[in-house]
Amino acid sequence: MNLLSKFWIFLLCAGIVFFIQFTILQPVIQYKLIDIQDWRYLLIYRSLDPNPFSQLINSWIHIGLHETPAIYYTGILSELFGFNYQAYQIANTLFKTVATLSLFPLIFIIFKNKWLAFLTTILYGINSATAGPLQVVDTGAEFLALAFFNIFLITYYYTIFKKNKIFYFISGFFFLLAYLLYPPRMFPQLLLVPLVEIYWLLTSWKLRNLKYSIIRVLIYIVPVILISLPAPVSPGFPHAKQPLILLQEILNGNWHNLLDPFAGIGWMLLTNDFWKFFGILDLDTFRNFGSYLT
């Protein structure tokens, strides 16, 4: 009976979320044009003919991990919808809905509170900041990545408390899939796992848990590193070609670059439009870390 009650609460939540997304986002769905960035990605995708997927590895190595997923995401949508631009927006809104609903089981499983899961999901659904990725078509992949990342967190939770080998590989798969779908936004997840494991070790105070923590870190992070090594971050931006360049910038005194790993998360929480309320940043602000903070 209790399980049935939770199921009906989830169905109620799903109905509200669907209504919210396809009501308040009507202006987005009616938007019939595609941003110039989307056109550029479509042009690159079409240039990979006759079979773009045969060029996937080559694109990953030469175009980079920043843009390759966006190119293929936009290209696949174009294969399905052609010039029906509203269909692109409907698909992205649907993916946003799925990502929103994926919060419900995650919050419920971790906190064991169905009403907290209900409220969290609704609040995320109505928060206008979460609609930021809809500004351009290609960033709709962020929602798919977020949905898979939430599934990873659920299975990750079970690897910690159940220590079932099957969960190790399932969670590793979703961890990698979330990263590959949109690396610019998802690479902070590489920092999350070590932080969670350190917290788990400090709170459990059991040395034998160290073995499981090391296994999880290796299963999650090593595949991502191996896949990312041959790919530049973004050949279009010289400062982002290699992590060593970023490290050199930090050593030269540009300490604000230490915050770069959190920029991807920031976009999901506050879009650029929000920052005008905090004043306008001048380039002189970035000359040293002290002026950057103040």
Side-chain angles (χ1 to χ4, degrees):
M1 187 66 180
N2 194 29
L3 181 62
L4 186 62
S5 172
K6 298 182 184 75
F7 176 73
W8 283 112
I9 291 174
F10 174 74
L11 284 184
L12 174 63
C13 183
I16 294 174
V17 168
F18 267 93
F19 176 79
I20 290 173
Q21 302 308 306
F22 286 90
T23 300
I24 66 175
L25 294 176
Q26 271 299 316
V28 175
I29 295 174
Q30 297 300 320
Y31 188 56
K32 297 182 180 180
L33 299 178
I34 294 184
D35 187 85
I36 189 171
Q37 176 175 297
D38 296 317
W39 283 112
R40 187 171 73 84
Y41 287 157
L42 278 174
L43 180 62
I44 296 174
Y45 179 82
R46 295 300 177 187
S47 70
L48 300 175
D49 280 341
N51 183 4
F53 291 97
S54 65
Q55 301 293 324
L56 180 58
I57 296 178
N58 187 56
S59 299
W60 182 259
I61 294 174
H62 293 94
I63 297 177
L65 56 84
H66 188 281
E67 295 185 302
T68 298
I71 290 169
Y72 278 85
Y73 176 79
T74 308
I76 291 172
L77 289 185
S78 72
E79 298 280 6
L80 296 173
F81 305 128
F83 294 105
N84 183 3
Y85 304 131
Q86 285 188 357
Y88 291 74
Q89 307 297 350
I90 292 173
N92 280 351
T93 304
L94 182 61
F95 293 148
K96 181 182 184 300
T97 304
V98 171
T100 302
L101 290 176
S102 68
L103 278 171
F104 187 97
L106 172 63
I107 300 300
F108 175 73
I109 288 171
I110 294 177
F111 296 101
K112 308 296 189 296
N113 189 319
K114 59 188 177 184
W115 294 114
L116 177 62
F118 180 88
L119 183 61
T120 302
T121 305
I122 298 299
L123 288 177
Y124 183 84
I126 64 177
N127 183 3
S128 61
T130 63
L134 294 172
Q135 290 183 355
V136 287
V137 168
D138 72 268
T139 52
E142 291 183 30
F143 297 119
L144 279 176
L146 180 60
F148 287 125
F149 184 64
N150 286 340
I151 296 174
F152 156 72
L153 290 175
I154 293 172
T155 54
Y156 182 32
Y157 177 85
Y158 283 120
T159 64
I160 293 176
F161 291 101
K162 303 294 184 182
K163 296 182 176 61
N164 190 309
K165 293 181 181 179
I166 295 178
F167 282 120
Y168 278 78
F169 292 102
I170 293 176
S171 59
F173 170 76
F174 282 109
F175 184 88
L176 180 61
L177 187 58
Y179 173 79
L180 292 177
L181 274 168
Y182 217 86
R185 300 288 179 254
M186 300 308 295
F187 79 86
Q189 71 189 61
L190 297 175
L191 300 175
L192 176 66
V193 170
L195 290 176
V196 170
E197 295 298 340
I198 291 172
Y199 173 78
W200 171 243
L201 290 172
L202 291 176
T203 54
S204 65
W205 287 102
K206 294 179 180 178
L207 186 60
R208 63 186 178 88
N209 286 334
L210 179 61
K211 178 183 73 172
Y212 297 108
S213 291
I214 293 174
I215 291 174
R216 283 191 290 265
V217 170
L218 292 177
I219 288 177
Y220 300 147
I221 295 180
V222 169
V224 171
I225 293 176
L226 292 177
I227 289 177
S228 301
L229 280 177
V233 176
S234 178
F237 301 93
H239 66 275
K241 281 187 176 181
Q242 294 181 12
L244 289 178
I245 296 178
L246 185 61
L247 177 60
Q248 187 60 52
E249 289 289 320
I250 294 172
L251 294 176
N252 288 339
N254 296 314
W255 294 355
H256 60 273
N257 285 322
L258 289 170
L259 302 177
D260 277 7
F262 304 99
I265 298 176
W267 174 252
M268 292 296 291
L269 299 176
L270 290 175
T271 61
N272 287 348
D273 293 337
F274 279 82
W275 291 106
K276 63 186 177 184
F277 299 111
F278 298 96
I280 299 175
L281 290 177
D282 191 277
L283 289 179
D284 288 336
T285 306
F286 297 94
R287 294 194 181 277
N288 62 73
F289 193 57
S291 62
Y292 173 74
L293 292 177
T294 56

